[in-house]
Amino acid sequence: MSKNSLSSRDVFTSRLGVIAAAAGSAVGLGNIWKFPYITGVYGGAAFLFVYLGFIALIGLPIMLSEFTIGRKSKSNAFGAFKKLAPGSPWKFVGMLGVAAAFMILSFYGVVAGWSIDYIIKSVTDSFASKSPDELDSMFTQFIEQPGLPIVYQLSFMLMTMAIVIIGVKDGIEKYAKILMPILILIILVLDVRAITLDGAKEGLNFLFHPDFSKLTGEGVLSALGHAFFSLSLGMGTLITYGSYIGNQNNLAKTALQVTVADTLIAILAGVAIFPAVFAFGIEPSSGPGLVFITLPNVFQQMPGGFFFSILFFLLLTVAALTSSISILEVVVAYFREELKIKRKLATILATAMIAIVGVFCSLSMGLLKENTLFGLNFFDLLDWISANMLLPLGGLFISLFIGWYWGREKIEEELAKGAGVVSWLLSVFIFLVKFIAPGAIAIVFLHGLGVFNF
Ligand code: LEU
């Protein structure tokens, strides 16, 4: 049967392939671009600690829930709920995920485009002997242009489209397996350089010595939203990938490995960035440009910096690709299975629609900067609505679905495939998805939106 036929579904071929693809989805711009920048905006260590708490108590159990829903249903995010809860409104949870995936990819492609530009800037040695201020204006001038950032964004979307057309096994799995480990190595090298800079200590303090009085409701909501964003949760991605996981795989172990890898890489990225931020006198709260402004300073100050900067931005782009394909796959799987169209057409359609919205995200950095809603430009608005609203809401319903609608017996049956189930661990998992995750999400969500204060 051909890969495009609707009755044959793709599957990941090996255990390593599953982990590489899921970790490839999780590890991306979220870890290296967004995590340091929002940690800077929300004041450092206190934000990090809250984020880590959310990862452990909410992110990990929801990741396992998504894998379970995906593997059991063998369907796209929307179809999964239709299959597991026929005739019920649960399918709208899947719809929420598809909508979030659509929104996220439109601005994600823009940032990935910036990364492509920085590969080129590295190759042409454009950072050489520039001051931190000059590197700052270099970034701002670039993203405000109406032309080049869009060219790069569209090129990135085309690459994403090409890989998704090839399909899961030959496209997604193969690339993720080779490139992820190289990225980790480069970040480690950057860490060593950053923590040996003069004045690095202040940056490490900022990242690891919490001052909880600095935390705001908005900051806590952003930490929650980012836990979802970084682990690729609430957007249908891991339901869709879960549907390609074979029954011989141990889902709990995979979820744990992916969560740990994702979190470690974010922290390593923070260790590369914050010491340098302080050493070069950059504002930690400078926003989306933080990584693009800080790291070129570091590259200038290290032996082989020219070479490392090329490699870093190249791998950042690849990390973005292994994430973007997983987001596009959500929309494509939905189009294929619900609208009954072939993979190729579904992919082209989805890419075109997302890329067009992306063009407006890019323009909202410059030409359309003044057009704001709630004080946010179009790019920030899509980011805020998806990460801080749609993803936590999706997560809330997923945990309710697994914890209350499905219940212990069905969970145990699915998790027992490919693994021995440890009874007390199962009880902990059920307790988390039944009470802690939905309760905490509801409180943080309402508090962050200013519905109540305490
Ligand atoms: N988890 C990804 C990242 O951290 C993003 C997600 C939207 C696929 O970059």
Side-chain angles (χ1 to χ4, degrees), residues 26-342:
V27 176
L29 296 169
N31 308 59
I32 295 160
W33 160 72
K34 198 171 177 196
F35 169 74
Y37 119 57
I38 56 175
T39 304
V41 168
Y42 291 110
F47 177 87
L48 169 67
F49 282 78
V50 172
Y51 169 72
L52 292 178
F54 287 151
I55 290 278
L57 295 177
I58 301 176
L60 177 58
I62 290 183
M63 182 181 293
L64 183 53
S65 305
E66 290 205 16
F67 280 155
T68 311
I69 293 172
R71 185 168 75 179
K72 177 72 193 172
S73 65
K74 303 258 178 292
S75 292
N76 67 85
F78 179 74
F81 289 96
K82 267 201 330 198
K83 219 179 212 172
L84 300 181
S88 76
W90 282 107
K91 57 178 181 285
F92 293 110
V93 179
M95 210 57 237
L96 207 67
V98 177
F102 190 105
M103 280 189 193
I104 290 174
L105 189 50
S106 40
F107 70 83
Y108 205 86
V110 174
V111 182
W114 299 347
S115 179
I116 298 181
D117 179 69
Y118 270 61
I119 302 176
I120 294 163
K121 284 194 167 58
S122 302
V123 173
T124 52
D125 210 7
S126 312
F127 311 133
S129 56
K130 294 247 174 5
S131 69
D133 277 347
E134 285 170 321
L135 288 169
D136 189 333
S137 41
M138 181 190 246
F139 174 76
T140 316
Q141 274 167 14
F142 166 68
I143 63 165
E144 288 187 351
Q145 290 173 42
L148 213 49
I150 293 177
V151 172
Y152 291 133
Q153 175 240 346
L154 295 177
S155 322
F156 179 81
M157 291 304 297
L158 281 178
M159 288 192 269
T160 305
M161 182 178 92
I163 301 181
V164 172
I165 287 180
I166 303 173
V168 170
K169 211 169 26 208
D170 304 324
I172 299 174
E173 199 181 318
K174 201 160 85 192
Y175 294 99
K177 248 192 312 213
I178 317 166
L179 297 163
M180 283 291 108
I182 312 181
L183 178 68
I184 300 178
L185 266 181
I186 301 270
I187 299 176
L188 280 173
V189 173
L190 284 175
D191 282 344
V192 173
R193 175 63 275 212
I195 53 180
T196 49
L197 285 167
D198 274 347
K201 206 161 163 261
E202 212 183 325
L204 291 175
N205 274 338
F206 179 82
L207 188 59
F208 293 120
H209 281 228
D211 172 1
F212 286 100
S213 66
K214 280 198 203 149
L215 265 185
T216 57
E218 161 100 29
V220 176
L221 176 59
S222 295
L224 179 68
H226 189 63
F228 281 97
F229 186 92
S230 192
L231 294 176
S232 301
L233 300 175
M235 58 187 89
T237 294
L238 296 187
I239 295 181
T240 308
Y241 271 18
S243 76
Y244 306 137
I245 298 181
N247 284 345
Q248 75 285 6
N249 263 282
N250 181 337
L251 292 183
K253 200 165 147 196
T254 306
L256 183 66
Q257 283 165 330
V258 172
T259 304
V260 169
D262 185 71
T263 310
L264 266 181
I265 293 179
I267 295 177
L268 289 178
V271 171
I273 306 276
F274 286 108
V277 164
F278 284 86
F280 296 111
I282 297 164
E283 245 336 290
S285 60
S286 359
L290 190 69
V291 174
F292 292 95
I293 296 162
T294 308
L295 287 183
N297 285 295
V298 181
F299 292 126
Q300 270 185 25
Q301 303 261 330
M302 60 196 275
F306 170 73
F307 168 75
F308 277 118
S309 68
I310 299 175
L311 211 53
F312 173 81
F313 287 112
L314 201 67
L315 289 169
L316 181 61
T317 308
V318 173
L321 256 181
T322 56
S323 298
S324 64
I325 52 183
S326 76
I327 325 176
L328 184 58
E329 182 68 22
V330 173
V331 186
V332 170
Y334 170 72
F335 279 5
R336 276 174 76 197
E337 292 173 4
E338 301 303 319
L339 308 182
K340 312 253 178 286
I341 49 180
K342 293 231 160 93

